[in-house]
């Protein structure tokens, strides 16, 4: 029997805990306004990630399951169409945005320059765009009268996942713009708080991880891994710990050093094969580090050689690893890293190398164990969800 809820409103109290690069069409941050569309886009992402397994149970063939997922998402959140398939959203989003400070470009975020990357950070000039720091976001989700209780709960679950694993704006997957959920309120129910590792772990334990690992989108599956990787007294320090470890793990370094520390050189073959490709050679397989996402842009200062590795449509392959910084009630901040492995390339899409010439890389498989080894490198990690094999 399907349960239907009366007119329902759920209130979510979020806190922005790391610098957020969120703006409108001109990419300019604004501390006085909040675009509900940004929140809704992120909410839909987490809803898809959480509901892929359910659609796969209803439609075991992946393409049919994708169609089912798209249809269910449209029924809940609305569907823009010129024809008879247009739908209005059953979820209305109202927001209150307070306390954020608008920060101007400069050198303030040097510690996380590696995570900011090209486009947001320049080694000489620092941050290249204005950003938001701090602030509280109150979201009220108004659900259409008569909406099924299971659908309401699925939207609430997505809003919680966003507030425990995600963020908003540019570099949200790298932990910038972390949107941390403090509590969820719904009339007639106990207030739910998410300020302890135990409360976060309890939410994770209730999720559906039954789907096989070959998801064609970012989704919770048997292969998902969720770790608390680092703890610090300040949010930016927790994010810095992630950035430093990621840079040490991935970088070849210069003169045997990375940030003044001896380079680990975990990917010597990547370095050597790409460097050879900048000098007229060819890549025969994708560099191991490509599993962290594409495009990859290489520049060798010693030879001035350049090589760009991207999909043939010059699109992006987002990182399957998502970083989120979360405040706990004891005043500490934890870095939560979520690995959502899936199909790296859709269909017959090819990956191209562009240097002195342009060509398709014949072998484009990725190995998610490359990311697993990185996650294993955190000495005080606590795995809240381990991959299930078999």
């Amino acid at each position: 029997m399907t349960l239907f809820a009366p007119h329902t409103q759920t209130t979510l109290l979020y806190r922005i805990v790391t610098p957020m690069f969120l703006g409108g069409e001109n990419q300019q941050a604004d501390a006085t306004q909040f675009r509900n569309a940004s929140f809704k886009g992120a909410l839909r992402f987490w809803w898809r990630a959480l509901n892929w397994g359910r659609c796969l149970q209803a439609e075991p063939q992946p393409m049919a399951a994708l169609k089912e997922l798209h249809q269910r998402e449209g029924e809940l959140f609305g569907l823009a169409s010129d024809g008879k398939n247009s739908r209005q959203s059953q979820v209305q989003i109202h927001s209150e945005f307070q306390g954020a400070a608008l920060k101007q470009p400069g050198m303030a975020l040097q510690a996380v320059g590696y995570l900011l990357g090209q486009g947001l950070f320049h080694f000489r000039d620092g941050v290249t765009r204005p950003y938001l720091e701090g602030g509280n976001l109150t979201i009220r989700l108004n659900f259409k009268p008569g909406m099924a209780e299971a659908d309401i709960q699925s939207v609430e679950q997505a809003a919680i996942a966003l507030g425990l694993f995600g963020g908003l704006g540019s570099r949200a997957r790298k932990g910038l713009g972390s949107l941390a959920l403090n509590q969820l309120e719904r009339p007639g129910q106990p207030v739910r708080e998410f300020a302890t590792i135990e409360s976060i772990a309890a939410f994770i334990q209730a999720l559906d991880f039954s789907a096989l690992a070959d998801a064609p989108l970012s989704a919770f599956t048997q292969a998902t891994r969720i770790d608390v990787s680092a703890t610090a007294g300040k949010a930016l320090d927790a994010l810095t710990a992630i950035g430093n470890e990621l840079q040490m793990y991935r970088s070849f370094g210069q003169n045997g050093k990375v940030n003044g520390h001896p380079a680990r050189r975990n990917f010597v073959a990547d370095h050597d094969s790409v460097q050879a490709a900048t000098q007229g050679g060819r890549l025969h397989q994708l560099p191991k580090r490509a599993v962290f996402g594409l495009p990859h842009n290489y520049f060798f200062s010693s030879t001035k050689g350049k090589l760009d590795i991207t999909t043939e449509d010059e699109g992006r392959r987002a990182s399957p690893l998502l970083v989120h910084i979360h405040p706990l009630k004891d005043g500490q901040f934890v870095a939560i890293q979520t690995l959502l492995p899936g199909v790296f390339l859709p269909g017959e899409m090819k990956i191209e190398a562009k240097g002195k010439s342009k060509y398709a890389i014949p072998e484009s498989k990725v190995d998610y164990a490359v990311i697993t080894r990185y996650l294993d490198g955190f000495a005080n990690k606590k795995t809240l969800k381990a991959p299930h094999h078999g």
Side-chain angles (χ1 to χ4, degrees), residues 52 55-56 58-71:
W52 166 246
C55 291
L56 202 58
E59 298 284 353
Q61 294 299 320
M63 290 311 295
L66 264 180
K67 189 175 179 182
E68 174 78 5
L69 186 71
H70 179 69
Q71 181 177 330

Side-chain angles (χ1 to χ4, degrees), residues 164-176:
L164 298 183
F165 312 128
L168 298 177
S170 299
R171 306 297 189 274
R173 289 192 179 219
K174 295 288 194 294
L176 280 306

Side-chain angles (χ1 to χ4, degrees), residues 11-195:
T11 302
L12 301 119
L13 306 180
Y14 295 96
R15 175 180 166 192
I16 298 168
V17 294
T18 56
M20 181 179 284
F21 292 81
L22 183 67
E25 292 180 3
N26 60 0
Q27 294 189 327
Q28 295 303 302
D30 187 340
T32 64
Q33 290 185 324
F34 180 79
R35 296 174 69 247
N36 289 347
S38 299
F39 181 87
K40 190 171 187 179
L43 187 66
R44 292 178 78 142
F45 168 87
W46 287 104
W47 186 91
R48 288 192 297 270
L50 289 160
N51 286 275
W52 166 246
R54 291 168 192 160
C55 291
L56 202 58
Q57 288 170 6
E59 298 284 353
Q61 294 299 320
M63 290 311 295
L66 264 180
K67 189 175 179 182
E68 174 78 5
L69 186 71
H70 179 69
Q71 181 177 330
R72 290 191 190 182
E73 180 186 349
E75 289 170 353
L76 276 179
F77 298 104
L79 189 63
S81 171
D82 294 331
K84 60 183 179 181
N85 294 321
S86 294
R87 293 181 181 275
Q88 282 192 326
S89 176
Q90 296 187 65
V91 185
Q92 297 300 319
I93 298 172
H94 301 275
S95 62
E96 292 177 19
F97 188 42
Q98 296 177 320
L102 180 63
K103 298 290 185 176
Q104 297 302 322
M107 299 303 292
L109 302 181
Q110 271 182 290
V112 291
Y114 183 75
L115 294 174
L116 288 166
Q118 293 180 354
L120 287 185
F121 189 84
H122 188 277
F123 73 97
R124 272 198 311 267
D125 305 324
V127 177
T128 59
R129 267 171 48 190
Y131 58 94
L132 301 176
E133 197 168 78
N136 297 297
L137 176 66
T138 299
I139 294 286
R140 290 183 176 84
L141 302 176
N142 286 326
F143 298 103
K144 196 173 181 181
M147 191 170 162
E149 174 64 23
D151 287 339
I152 292 175
Q153 289 182 11
S154 76
V155 176
E156 288 179 342
Q157 193 180 57
I160 296 169
L162 168 56
L164 298 183
F165 312 128
L168 298 177
S170 299
R171 306 297 189 274
R173 289 192 179 219
K174 295 288 194 294
L176 280 306
S178 286
L179 193 65
L181 179 61
N182 292 327
Q183 64 183 45
L184 180 152
E185 303 172 1
R186 183 167 158 189
Q189 295 187 4
V191 173
R192 299 178 65 182
E193 296 186 340
F194 300 90

